[in-house]
Amino acid sequence: MAKIIVVTSGKGGVGKTTSSAAIGTGIALKGHKTVIIDFDVGLRNLDLIMGCERRVVYDFVNVINKEATLSQALIKDKRTKDLFILPASQTRDKDALTVEGVQAVLEELAKEFEYIICDSPAGIEKGAQMALYFADAAIVVTNPEVSSVRDSDRILGILQSKSRRAEEGREPIEEHLLLTRYHPGRVALGEMLSVSDVEDILAIPLLGVIPESEAVLKASNQGTPVILDTESEAGLAYMDAVDRLMGEERPLRFLEVQKKGFIKRLLGG
Amino acid sequence: MTDSGFRLKGSVVTTILLEIQTFSLDDIVFHLKEKIDQVPHFFNQAPIIIDISKMKRGITIDEFDVLIQSVSALGLGVIGWRCDPEALPVWKALVKIPLLPASKARAITTSTAEKEEASPDVVVKTVVEERLVPQTTKVITKPIRSGQQVYAEGDLIILNQVSAGAEVLADGNIHVYGALRGRALAGVKGDVEARIFCRSMEAELVSIAGNFMLSDALRNIVWKDSAQVLLVDDSLEIVPL
């Protein structure tokens, strides 16, 4: 039985797609057959981050409308074994997603894959609700600032009331907090909420803290999931998060302000 | 288990009891009609039980049938009858409506019935068949998230936090055992005795029976600490607990 994980946030631009790509890749690196679905119909981005935009022929909406088979639409990742991407349509809108259609696709994927990652669009409307409806677990991506935290709180309410698990009265969706774009220096100056502030407001278990890093932007532009950049703090922090998702214990790191060394200061690094 | 297509369940309904003391059809109909005209909405199609256990003189089957018809004609629904089990009439099997067991319930004489003293032939009583205890207290164990709204007809007890942007309302009191960061409105139907209790006061708004206070004001009184909110002479008091 496949585990369906939705990566969601409410607010836009907090790093949902970056996190979906990184975590999906991380799970596949551990040898689990994984597929990442882009639910952001009309604003497809996942294929760019994954560097497979030129290989998109058929998409998620084509499969829902039975214009293509799943095997035609699935793109096999070139770098990571066991990883597949189901891209979103760029030309359609969220109304193309139907509960029955999404369910049929997920059921077919569940036969073949161990993990299904649903990259949710921003907002709380149909696209986002469709992405989370069938989820078993949710990764709530949050930036350490009040509006992002407020929107995450809102999406947590929707997870607990409008998901299939909630409607059927089953065990609630497992919730994980992923704090991204964390800047220890700005937290120290009081310009950003701290990890404990966010944990206090949202009151859900912390999956990981991803430090703000230039490596993320660089990786996105290159179409490589940042988790493959094992030199970067962000990549390592994502790997820690994947380990925790798999039930391993990992201490939090990159939460402290790093003191610049003499040479680094001299070079203006 | 549920292949039969239906479920049998017990249910308790509040009904009206028509207690006949002396049988005089015209009087009964006249006075009953008078009552119905006072509050027609209340009596319209209301279920009613005819009780003849207090009758000093017996009643014939014909008289009883006419009585049932007359009461039905007034727009009431006769759902059964009652009689002293010691003095059941011989015609009891001929009555088409169910014979109900004698009630041990407490009779509440309505205020309109008290005015009835002048003509004691007919006494209309509202009888609560059993003490139906309504589920007035709502207990919530999960956090109330931004954008969610919870309402309780009685008291509302929340064992978790109420997030900013969430709203909790109750006709009665509100207890919040996590942080109260959203809006809490107690006594929304006007109960001035209602109160709000919380472990950590960080609310956007608190209100008792429509008298409210915003977070700006709350900050100066109690903030991030346990508190209760109550109404004293039409003004809100925030008291540390």
Side-chain angles (χ1 to χ4, degrees), chain A residues 133-151:
Chain A
Y133 186 72
F134 295 98
D136 301 306
I139 296 174
V140 179
V141 183
T142 307
N143 288 169
E145 47 102 8
V146 282
S147 63
S148 174
V149 173
R150 174 74 65 92
D151 291 359

Side-chain angles (χ1 to χ4, degrees), chain B:
Chain B
M1 286 286 276
T2 52
D3 285 344
S4 51
F6 63 80
R7 278 197 294 175
L8 280 177
K9 295 169 89 173
S11 175
V12 179
V13 183
T14 304
T15 59
I16 305 164
L17 192 67
L18 180 66
E19 210 173 71
I20 311 292
Q21 290 168 337
T22 315
F23 182 73
S24 161
L25 189 64
D26 292 343
D27 273 2
I28 293 172
V29 171
F30 177 78
H31 286 114
L32 202 52
K33 187 164 186 329
E34 207 175 58
K35 292 230 158 292
I36 292 171
D37 288 344
Q38 286 172 9
V39 266
H41 179 71
F42 176 73
F43 284 103
N44 186 29
Q45 287 302 312
I48 189 164
I49 296 167
I50 299 175
D51 190 339
I52 57 169
S53 58
K54 298 280 161 62
M55 283 186 77
K56 291 168 189 90
R57 177 182 72 82
I59 181 169
T60 68
I61 178 71
D62 291 336
E63 285 173 333
F64 194 61
D65 273 343
V66 173
L67 178 62
I68 294 171
Q69 282 165 22
S70 307
V71 171
S72 303
L74 288 169
L76 294 159
V78 183
I79 58 165
W81 65 294
R82 252 186 204 152
C83 185
D84 182 357
E86 304 286 309
L88 282 169
V90 286
W91 43 261
K92 64 175 195 283
L94 299 171
V95 184
K96 292 189 182 65
I97 57 172
L99 172 63
L100 301 172
S103 168
K104 293 190 193 90
R106 200 156 54 96
I108 303 158
T109 310
T110 59
S111 58
T112 46
E114 277 163 11
K115 282 187 267 168
E116 195 61 27
E117 305 289 12
S119 56
D121 290 357
V122 183
V123 178
V124 176
K125 290 178 172 177
T126 302
V127 171
V128 179
E129 281 263 324
E130 277 170 37
R131 293 289 290 162
L132 176 72
V133 183
Q135 192 65 38
T136 51
T137 301
K138 193 182 250 183
V139 181
I140 309 268
T141 54
K142 286 182 189 159
I144 313 289
R145 301 287 183 183
S146 177
Q148 291 184 318
Q149 196 181 46
V150 177
Y151 166 69
E153 282 179 4
D155 285 1
L156 179 59
I157 299 173
I158 297 157
L159 299 171
N160 216 311
Q161 61 176 8
V162 176
S163 294
E167 193 168 66
V168 292
L169 308 104
D171 293 350
N173 305 304
I174 298 175
H175 304 252
V176 182
Y177 292 95
L180 171 58
R181 300 192 177 106
R183 297 158 161 247
L185 298 93
V188 287
K189 293 230 175 107
D191 182 1
V192 292
E193 297 295 317
R195 294 185 186 196
I196 298 167
F197 306 88
C198 63
R199 287 272 286 273
S200 180
M201 171 61 79
E202 299 164 48
E204 293 170 335
L205 176 149
V206 290
S207 160
I208 308 265
N211 300 274
F212 66 89
M213 193 179 277
L214 294 170
S215 63
D216 287 349
L218 290 168
R219 270 171 210 274
N220 301 326
I221 309 169
V222 181
W223 197 248
K224 294 195 174 183
D225 214 337
S226 57
Q228 67 161 321
V229 184
L230 67 158
L231 205 55
V232 179
D233 300 330
D234 280 347
S235 72
L236 277 191
E237 295 262 333
I238 320 292
V239 185
L241 278 174

Side-chain angles (χ1 to χ4, degrees), chain A residues 63-205:
Chain A
V63 181
I64 287 175
N65 295 341
K66 299 198 166 58
E67 294 152 3
T69 64
L70 204 45
S71 52
Q72 285 176 308
L74 281 174
I75 301 172
K76 191 178 184 321
D77 191 75
K78 279 187 172 164
R79 291 168 295 250
T80 314
K81 198 168 84 61
D82 299 317
L83 182 62
F84 289 78
I85 290 105
L86 183 55
S89 169
Q90 182 71 303
T91 52
R92 306 293 293 271
D93 60 32
K94 266 80 175 171
D95 292 332
L97 300 174
T98 60
V99 175
E100 298 76 25
V102 172
Q103 183 172 14
V105 173
L106 289 177
E107 278 172 4
E108 206 179 329
L109 287 169
K111 289 177 200 159
E112 229 184 299
F113 291 91
E114 283 178 77
Y115 286 91
I116 301 172
I117 313 291
C118 302
D119 179 22
S120 171
I124 54 169
E125 280 78 32
K126 194 176 176 190
Q129 290 196 15
M130 212 53 92
L132 66 81
Y133 186 72
F134 295 98
D136 301 306
I139 296 174
V140 179
V141 183
T142 307
N143 288 169
E145 47 102 8
V146 282
S147 63
S148 174
V149 173
R150 174 74 65 92
D151 291 359
S152 294
D153 195 57
R154 183 91 168 86
I155 210 84
L156 282 165
I158 293 171
L159 282 168
Q160 296 309 344
S161 60
K162 295 198 174 153
S163 60
R164 185 167 66 163
R165 277 175 176 267
E167 283 176 7
E168 291 176 356
R170 285 154 66 201
E171 212 178 302
I173 292 181
E174 172 191 316
E175 298 159 334
H176 301 280
L177 172 63
L178 185 68
L179 205 52
T180 56
R181 311 195 70 162
Y182 195 74
H183 199 302
R186 297 188 63 189
V187 173
L189 291 171
E191 296 172 358
M192 255 187 190
L193 296 174
S194 70
V195 177
S196 63
D197 288 340
V198 180
E199 276 188 296
D200 187 40
I201 298 172
L202 295 179
I204 59 168

